[in-house]
């Protein structure tokens, strides 16, 4: 029943499929499967129905199930292949087709198998990769798994190709060559792309191999598993392969095997086998004469022979016939033409005895060089060119090509793993030969190493023996050289050119050992040199015979002369013969004939610059005639003749590869000196260094080298070179002088003075040394003045002038230079405020005036009238300045008239005259100075210094002209920092702040250490109201090294003004005052006659609690002001005098000298005008302060009544000035309180209350009143006094009470009442309001410490125990020590003593801590 049902349904399904009723077919097949789940046909029908219905996934499932049920049945496989084809799953389709194809092959169905294969190939071509195409096509090859089946296919019918559906497969099976060619082309392309991509990917890896090695490594990976060699072999073995295809395939196989062979490492076992296979292929190509360039190149390059003939002339000729268009063929043709070797041989001529030569009109050498440029990697080409260059005696080119050849040898051995020792030896011999003959003996050390290597490998190598002999000749080892040449002669065939030359060299060496035998041997050699082709050799041999006769003595000189003449008969260009004739004419002929000798030397040197003896004698002759240009020409040509610096060897880029010992040091020395004279210092240094390598103990060379270094600005090297020269000759004063000059240039002025003085000890009249000494003393004086050493500076200025006067006694020349130094020194002296050694200065001034008396010029006579110095006239800076002006004037008279020198002299005179007119306030003198400066500018209009000076003269009166002058200076030198700074100050002076800031900023950028630029910026900031910035800029300026004294004064003034404007506690500002104190002290040392600075310094000392020192400075200021007032009676000076007395009185009061203070206050009051309604504020303040100080002094002296009267007057004079009234009121109240009666105490309280009522923020009155309340235990008075201040905000209270006096009073008040707890609360509240106040923290810690709470005390103090503020640490450490324990407390106590050892409390603290620890 079931079987019948299944058959019926299967039939229905089949019919439905035929009618394309796929749903019905599906249903029928499903019904079958319900009864028979393993029914194969039902699964196939269902898979097909579902495929047509588009249900591909289910269709595949059923097809797969069918295949599982019957894997050998083809139906399901065909169905699933259709499914894959429709769904575009090409890879799975290809696998399925391959399986179907194998099934057909197994069943013997050739046609179906071929059809399936064709479909597979088509699918792979359309949708597969190139490798997949290769895989599909490989089924058609004879070695495939289908070969046995497909071979049964009949041949295709060429007359009816469409008769069969498998005609393509039939054609491929019966002729597989096209398929193989296609596969080869695909694999070749794929491998090429793979290698390129891998190389691009790996070449950027860090630590990777070189590019060439990387390509080899990738090649080994690819070529080791490649199918190409076997495919090439199949092509070669195929019966249908044409000769052309066979040749091209064979060439490809050779290329492939060569790449594989070269890529394999030498350690690989496959390398030797692959090499043999490659050799067999190459030998086959060569034997049958195939024109394959690579094969012939491998064949020729692989030959190991030391001669060109060893490559086989027949092979070389055959190469030129087979490959005539290749570069190597052209090179071989040129070589054959060059050597006269026939390119072709007449084959009909028996034994080839009459070869035919090929005519070519071109130069064989040109043919060679043209072809060689295309063969950089050919060993054979390099071998041939080396040999040609050797014959041309072009040794530099031989070296280049031989070195390239050796590199090629190394690469060939690395690539092939085979040694080519003979080729290497040939290159070594050629290289060594070139090194021997190229500018001997410079390259002989390298040549010896090469020759020794060759002789170890080949002891009878003639060329190496001859080269070794030449080297020994140059070293003077004649016996050894003679032995080598004799051995070389015995190894060469007699009569050959090489044999005759070796014999000649042997005879020449013998002549140096035994001159007679040597001359005889040379004569024998001369007999062998017959024929016109040996004229040059005969000339050389005759000259050598002549040299031998010359060495035999005077009796043989004429014979030698005849040989020299005969030598020139054979070769008129043989230079050594001319040299020998020149020596003959200059030394032997009686009388000597220098004219002929010179001509001979010139001819020899003209023919050959290597004739060093002729060159030296020529140079000496030209030097005797003072023909220095000719000396230079001869020296330079001699240097060229010996190879120059590089000795003829350079890299391709022109860089010198080494330095060689010169053979003619005299020529290098001459060039060095000439270049030094021409100011070409780099070239001079180079030449002198080369000369020193040959003569390292030549003292003069070291001296000239040091001089060249010095002039080139390389001072460190100059000192080393000169030190070496001094070591070689300690008595050479010129060397010591040059050392001194270099020390002077490098700023080592003291050492330079020692050097010059050491010369003058032995040569006291040496003018040049005296002038250098004077200039050094002048520079030292200027340096000392800049660094603040006034006394030393004055001494050095005087010494410079004295030295110049000594010079004038020794020589009348050098007047301009001498008076320039004298004038500069006097001008420098004139800048001093006082003279330390006035008598010495007066002596040089008087001496200068005496020398200049009667020499006044008309230049400044109308405007300059100096004052004479007498015994009764004190010496002033004006006297010195006038002497300087006169000296500058006289310098123009005696100095040079050249524009540059005259311009400099006029400039100096103008500057000095302008400085003098500033002293005497002379307008005519100022105009004369301006005129002189303009004359200087006419002489040297491009000098920016002159333009800057002109701008300075015009600064005040003519701002537009000054601006123009500064801009002209900047046009000539845009980086002139002085011009930029002065231009900025000009803009600042005329209130153009923006331009001033830009100009000064440019000056700062150009030279960050230029002080004046910083000062100008500070002034700009101050003008803009940025006082803090101005103070910071000035602080930086005064820290720089330049000498700008007014910057010190301005900085100190700014600091004091800023701190005076604040009400900060005195102790907190001392550290800020110290820098101002130091710079102002420095200013006072430089300008001790400046009363303003002295006064300001006194005020700074007062703020630093140095009252006595401050009083001294102000007293000095008062003395100067008094003298100035007596001279000018200037009201401003009078007011300064009054202020100084008031300040001095205050300091005296602080020192306890109340009587002197009272006198000064009375002096100040006496200088003030009568009090009136129109009194200015400054006078009022001075009057009140003087009355206040007077009252205080009277109070201190016990005169209370007078004090009260005076203070009442001060109170009346203060008027509405609340600050003044507050101070006076407090002091008056204190005086009243001091009387002690209740009446006066009440009056004092009332006075203070009135003051507070008038000014509720009068903290001084409030504190004083609170103190009175505390003393009288009047709680209400204390509350009344402090209520006003406590009602203010914290910020305002802190501003009015910077020292926190209110907190202190309250704490002390409660402590006095015994209320420690309340006092602590007040201290805590104050610290809470201002936690950063270290003093409040210390006060609170002290209170808590008194209560015994050590832990809390330590916690409070640890917060701000910082080492950054030493002042705070000194106050805090004793409390920390008392509150601490153990070693830490002991350490703090010791540190407090270290910071302030003069404070008794610190020692008491240490004693307490130690006693506490001991107990």
């Amino acid at each position: 029943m079931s079987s019948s049902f299944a058959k019926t349904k299967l039939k229905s399904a089949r019919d439905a499929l035929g009618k394309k009723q796929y749903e019905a077919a599906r249903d029928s097949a499903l019904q079958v499967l319900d009864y028979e789940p393993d029914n194969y046909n039902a699964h196939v029908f269902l898979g097909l129905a579902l495929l047509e219905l588009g249900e591909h996934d289910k269709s595949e499932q059923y097809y797969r199930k069918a295949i599982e049920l019957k894997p050998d049945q083809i139906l399901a496989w065909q169905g699933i292949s259709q499914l894959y084809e429709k769904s575009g799953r090409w890879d799975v389709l290809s696998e399925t087709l391959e399986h179907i194809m194998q099934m057909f092959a197994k069943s013997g169905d050739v046609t179906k198998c071929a059809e399936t294969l064709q479909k597979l190939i088509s699918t792979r071509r359309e949708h597969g990769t190139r490798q997949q195409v290769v895989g599909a096509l490989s089924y058609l090859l004879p070695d495939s798994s289908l070969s046995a089946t497909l071979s049964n296919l009949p041949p295709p019918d060429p007359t009816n190709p469409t008769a069969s559906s498998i005609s393509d497969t039939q054609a491929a099976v019966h002729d597989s060559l096209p398929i193989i060619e296609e596969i080869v082309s695909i694999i070749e392309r794929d491998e090429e792309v793979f290698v390129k991509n891998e190389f691009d990917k790996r070449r950027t890896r860090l630590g990777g191999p070189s590019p060439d090695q990387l390509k080899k490594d990738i090649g080994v990976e690819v070529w080791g598993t490649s199918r190409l060699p076997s495919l090439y072999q199949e092509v070669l073995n195929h019966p249908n392969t044409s000769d052309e295809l066979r040749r091209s395939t064979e060439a490809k196989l050779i290329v492939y095997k060569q790449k594989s062979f070269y890529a394999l490492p030498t350690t690989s076992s496959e390398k030797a086998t692959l090499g043999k296979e490659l050799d067999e292929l190459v030998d086959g190509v060569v034997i049958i004469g195939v024109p394959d360039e690579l094969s012939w190149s491998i064949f020729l390059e692989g030959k190991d022979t030391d001669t060109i003939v060893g490559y086989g002339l027949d092979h070389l000729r055959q190469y030129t016939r087979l490959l005539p268009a290749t570069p190597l063929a052209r090179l071989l043709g040129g070589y054959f033409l060059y050597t006269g070797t026939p390119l072709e041989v007449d084959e009909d001529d028996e034994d080839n005895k009459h070869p035919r030569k090929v005519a070519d009109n071109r130069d064989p050498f040109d043919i060679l060089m043209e072809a060689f440029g295309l063969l950089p990697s050919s060993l054979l080409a390099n071998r041939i060119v080396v040999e040609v260059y050797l014959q041309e005696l072009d040794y530099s080119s031989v070296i280049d090509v031989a070195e390239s050849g050796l590199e090629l040898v190394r690469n060939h051995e690395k690539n092939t793993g085979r040694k080519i020792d003979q080729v290497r030896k040939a290159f070594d011999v050629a290289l060594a030969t070139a090194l021997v003959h190229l500018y001997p003996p410079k390259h002989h050390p390298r040549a010896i190493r090469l020759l020794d290597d060759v002789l170890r490998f080949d002891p009878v190598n003639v060329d190496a023996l001859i080269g070794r002999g030449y080297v020994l000749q140059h070293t003077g080892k004649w016996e050894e050289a003679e032995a080598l040449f004799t051995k070389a002669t015995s190894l060469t065939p007699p009569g050959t050119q090489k044999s005759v030359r070796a014999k000649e060299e042997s005879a020449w060496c013998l002549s140096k050992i035994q001159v007679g035998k040597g001359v005889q041997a040379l004569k024998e050699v001369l007999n062998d040199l017959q024929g016109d082709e040996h004229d040059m050799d005969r000339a050389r041999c005759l000259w050598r015979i002549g040299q031998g006769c010359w060495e035999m003595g005077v009796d043989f000189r004429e014979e030698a002369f005849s040989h020299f003449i005969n030598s020139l008969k054979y070769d008129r260009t043989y230079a050594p013969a001319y040299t020998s004739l020149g020596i003959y004419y200059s030394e032997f002929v009686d009388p000597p004939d220098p004219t002929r000798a010179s001509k001979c030397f010139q001819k020899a040197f003209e023919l050959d610059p290597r004739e060093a003896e002729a060159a030296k004698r020529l140079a000496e002759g030209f030097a005797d005639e003072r023909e220095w240009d000719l000396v230079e020409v001869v020296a330079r040509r001699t240097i060229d003749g010996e190879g120059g610096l590089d000795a003829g060897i350079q890299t391709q880029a022109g860089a010198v590869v080494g330095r060689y010992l010169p053979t003619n040091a005299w020529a290098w020395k001459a060039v060095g000196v000439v270049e030094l004279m021409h100011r070409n210092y780099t070239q001079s240094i180079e030449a002198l260094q080369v000369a020193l390598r040959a003569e390292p103990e030549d003292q003069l060379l070291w001296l000239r080298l040091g001089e060249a270094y010095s002039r080139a600005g390389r001072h460190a090297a100059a000192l080393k070179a000169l030190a070496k020269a001094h070591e070689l000759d300690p008595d050479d004063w010129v060397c010591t002088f040059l050392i001194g000059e270099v020390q002077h240039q490098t700023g080592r002025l003291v050492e330079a003075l020692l050097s010059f003085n050491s010369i003058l000890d032995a040569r006291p009249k040496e003018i040049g040394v005296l002038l250098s000494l004077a200039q050094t003393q002048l520079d030292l004086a200027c340096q000392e003045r800049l660094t603040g050493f006034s006394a030393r500076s004055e001494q050095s200025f005087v010494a410079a002038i004295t030295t110049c006067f000594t010079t004038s006694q020794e020589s009348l020349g050098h007047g301009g230079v001498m008076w320039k130094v004298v004038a500069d020194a006097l001008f420098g002296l004139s800048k001093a405020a006082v003279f330390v050694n006035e008598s010495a200065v007066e002596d040089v001034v008087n001496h200068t005036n005496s020398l200049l008396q009667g020499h006044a010029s008309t230049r400044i006579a109308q405007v300059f009238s100096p004052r004479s110095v007498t015994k009764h006239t004190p010496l002033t800076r004006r006297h010195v300045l006038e002497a300087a002006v006169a000296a500058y004037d006289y310098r123009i008279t005696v100095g040079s008239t050249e524009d540059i020198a005259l311009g400099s002299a006029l400039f100096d005179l103008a500057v000095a005259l302008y400085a003098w007119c500033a002293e005497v306030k002379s307008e005519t003198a100022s105009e004369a100075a301006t005129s002189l400066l303009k004359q200087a500018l006419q002489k040297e209009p491009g000098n920016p210094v002159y333009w800057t000076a002109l701008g300075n003269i015009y600064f005040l009166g003519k701002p537009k002209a000054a601006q123009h002058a500064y801009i002209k200076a900047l046009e000539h030198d845009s980086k002139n920092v002085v011009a930029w700074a002065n231009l900025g100050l000009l803009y600042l002076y005329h209130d153009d702040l923006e331009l001033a800031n830009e100009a000064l900023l440019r000056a700062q950028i150009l030279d960050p250490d230029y002080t004046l630029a910083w000062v100008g910026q500070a002034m700009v900031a101050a003008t803009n109201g940025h006082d803090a910035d101005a103070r910071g800029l000035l602080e930086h300026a005064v820290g720089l090294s330049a000498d700008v004294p007014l910057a010190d004064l301005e900085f100190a003034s700014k600091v004091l003004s800023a701190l005076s404007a604040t009400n900060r506690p005195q102790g907190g500002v001392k550290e800020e005052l110290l820098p101002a104190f130091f710079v102002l002290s420095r200013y006072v040392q430089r300008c001790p006659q400046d009363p303003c600075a002295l006064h300001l310094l006194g005020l700074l000392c007062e703020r630093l609690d140095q009252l006595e020192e401050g009083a001294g400075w102000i007293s000095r200021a008062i003395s100067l002001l008094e003298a100035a007032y007596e001279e000018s009676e200037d009201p401003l000076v009078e007011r300064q005098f009054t202020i100084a007395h008031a300040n001095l009185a205050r300091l005296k009061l602080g020192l306890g000298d109340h009587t002197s203070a009272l006198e000064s206050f009375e002096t100040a009051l006496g200088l003030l005008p009568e009090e009136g309604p129109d009194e200015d504020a400054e006078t009022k303040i001075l009057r009140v302060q003087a009355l206040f100080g007077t009252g205080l002094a009277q109070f201190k002296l016990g005169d209370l009544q007078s004090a009260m009267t005076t203070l009442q007057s001060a109170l009346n004079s203060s008027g509405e000035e609340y600050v003044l009234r507050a101070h006076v009121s407090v002091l008056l109240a204190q005086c009243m309180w001091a009387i002690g009666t209740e009446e006066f105490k009440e009056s004092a309280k009332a006075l203070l209350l009135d003051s507070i009522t008038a000014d509720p923020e009068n903290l001084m009155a409030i504190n004083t009143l609170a103190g009175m309340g505390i003393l009288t235990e009047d709680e209400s008075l204390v509350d009344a006094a402090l209520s006003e201040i406590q009602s203010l905000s914290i910020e305002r209270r802190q501003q009015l009470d910077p020292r926190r006096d209110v907190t202190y009073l309250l704490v002390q008040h409660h402590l006095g009442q015994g209320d420690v707890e309340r006092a602590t609360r007040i201290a805590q509240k104050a610290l809470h309001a201002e936690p950063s106040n270290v003093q409040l923290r210390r006060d609170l810690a002290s209170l808590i410490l008194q209560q015994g709470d050590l832990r809390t005390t330590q916690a409070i103090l640890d917060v701000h125990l910082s080492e950054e503020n030493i002042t705070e640490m000194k106050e805090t450490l004793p409390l920390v020590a008392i509150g601490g324990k153990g070693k830490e407390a002991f350490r703090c106590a010791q540190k407090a003593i270290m910071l302030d050892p003069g404070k008794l409390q610190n020692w008491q603290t240490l004693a307490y801590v130690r006693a506490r620890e001991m107990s």
Side-chain angles (χ1 to χ4, degrees), residues 1252 1259 1262-1263 1265-1267 1270 1276-1288 1301-1303 1305-1306 1309:
I1252 294 172
L1259 185 65
I1262 291 171
N1263 287 337
L1265 186 60
I1270 292 171
S1276 61
L1277 183 61
V1278 174
D1279 292 338
L1282 299 178
S1283 60
E1284 292 291 338
I1285 192 70
Q1286 289 180 333
S1287 65
L1288 299 174
D1301 291 335
V1302 174
T1303 303
L1305 283 172
L1306 288 173
H1309 172 58

Side-chain angles (χ1 to χ4, degrees), residues 972-986:
H972 294 294
D973 181 9
S974 61
K975 296 183 179 180
N976 189 330
V977 65
V978 178
W980 278 112
N982 291 358
L983 181 61
L985 294 174
L986 176 69

Side-chain angles (χ1 to χ4, degrees), residues 573 575 578 599-611 614-615 618 637:
T573 63
Y578 286 106
K599 289 181 179 179
C600 289
F601 291 139
Q602 288 183 34
K603 185 65 174 178
F605 189 61
E606 178 185 340
L607 291 171
D608 189 354
R610 293 174 297 178
E611 284 298 306
L618 268 180
R637 194 154 188 268

Side-chain angles (χ1 to χ4, degrees), residues 3-64:
S3 176
S4 173
F5 176 77
K7 289 180 181 179
T8 302
K9 289 298 179 181
L10 286 174
K11 183 177 182 300
S12 299
R14 184 171 54 251
D15 293 341
L17 288 172
K19 298 175 182 179
K20 297 185 178 180
Q21 297 175 356
Y22 301 116
E23 293 181 356
R26 177 192 60 191
D27 295 338
S28 299
L30 286 172
Q31 291 175 1
V32 174
L33 291 177
D34 290 339
Y35 288 96
E36 294 183 10
D38 293 335
N39 191 297
Y40 175 81
N41 290 325
H43 280 89
V44 173
F45 293 159
L46 182 56
L48 179 59
L50 291 172
L51 171 62
E52 297 297 338
L53 290 172
E55 298 181 28
H56 294 170
D57 292 340
K58 289 184 178 180
S59 175
E60 183 179 6
Q61 292 177 5
Y62 285 106
Y63 274 133
R64 285 294 176 191

Side-chain angles (χ1 to χ4, degrees), residues 1293 1320-1330 1340:
R1293 195 189 314 165
T1320 303
R1321 285 202 302 272
I1322 292 173
Q1324 287 174 336
K1325 186 177 179 181
L1327 182 61
H1328 179 73
E1330 194 178 356
L1340 178 59

Side-chain angles (χ1 to χ4, degrees), residues 1020-1169:
V1020 172
T1023 307
N1024 286 323
H1026 305 149
D1027 292 331
D1029 293 339
R1031 197 162 59 252
L1033 290 166
L1034 283 171
E1035 184 175 5
H1036 180 80
V1038 299
L1040 299 174
S1041 59
D1043 183 27
V1044 184
L1046 288 176
D1048 295 345
L1049 180 62
E1050 185 69 16
F1051 172 67
S1053 176
K1054 291 285 185 186
V1055 171
L1056 188 60
S1057 299
L1059 295 178
S1060 298
T1062 65
N1063 54 1
R1064 293 168 54 191
Q1066 182 71 16
V1069 299
K1070 286 185 178 180
E1071 292 185 2
E1072 298 182 34
L1073 287 171
L1074 285 175
F1077 173 77
F1078 290 135
V1079 298
L1080 192 57
S1081 299
R1082 180 175 66 185
Y1083 176 83
V1084 168
Q1085 288 177 358
R1086 298 177 185 176
C1087 305
Q1089 303 299 317
D1090 188 343
C1092 178
L1094 294 169
H1095 194 170
L1096 189 61
L1097 184 57
L1099 295 177
L1100 278 173
C1101 290
E1102 180 188 14
R1103 296 297 295 266
L1104 293 170
D1105 296 331
Q1106 304 295 321
L1107 301 182
E1108 188 171 354
E1109 186 176 353
W1113 291 117
I1114 295 179
S1115 298
R1116 287 179 57 182
I1118 289 173
S1119 300
L1120 293 172
L1121 289 169
E1122 184 176 6
Y1125 182 75
E1126 289 176 356
E1127 184 177 349
S1128 64
E1129 296 186 357
D1130 188 349
L1132 181 60
V1133 176
E1134 182 186 13
R1135 177 52 57 90
Q1136 293 174 348
F1137 182 76
T1138 304
I1139 295 172
H1141 263 292
N1143 288 333
L1144 177 63
R1146 186 177 64 253
L1147 266 65
K1148 293 287 186 180
L1149 201 60
L1151 288 169
D1153 189 356
H1154 304 125
T1155 302
S1156 299
L1158 189 59
E1159 293 175 359
S1160 294
F1161 278 129
E1162 290 174 351
T1163 302
L1165 284 169
L1167 293 171
L1168 291 173

Side-chain angles (χ1 to χ4, degrees), residues 1307-1335:
V1307 170
Q1308 294 302 317
H1309 172 58
H1310 292 300
L1311 286 177
Q1313 293 179 339
D1315 192 351
V1316 178
E1317 183 178 352
R1318 191 171 180 185
T1320 303
R1321 285 202 302 272
I1322 292 173
Q1324 287 174 336
K1325 186 177 179 181
L1327 182 61
H1328 179 73
E1330 194 178 356
S1332 62
N1333 192 311
V1334 182
Q1335 183 59 46

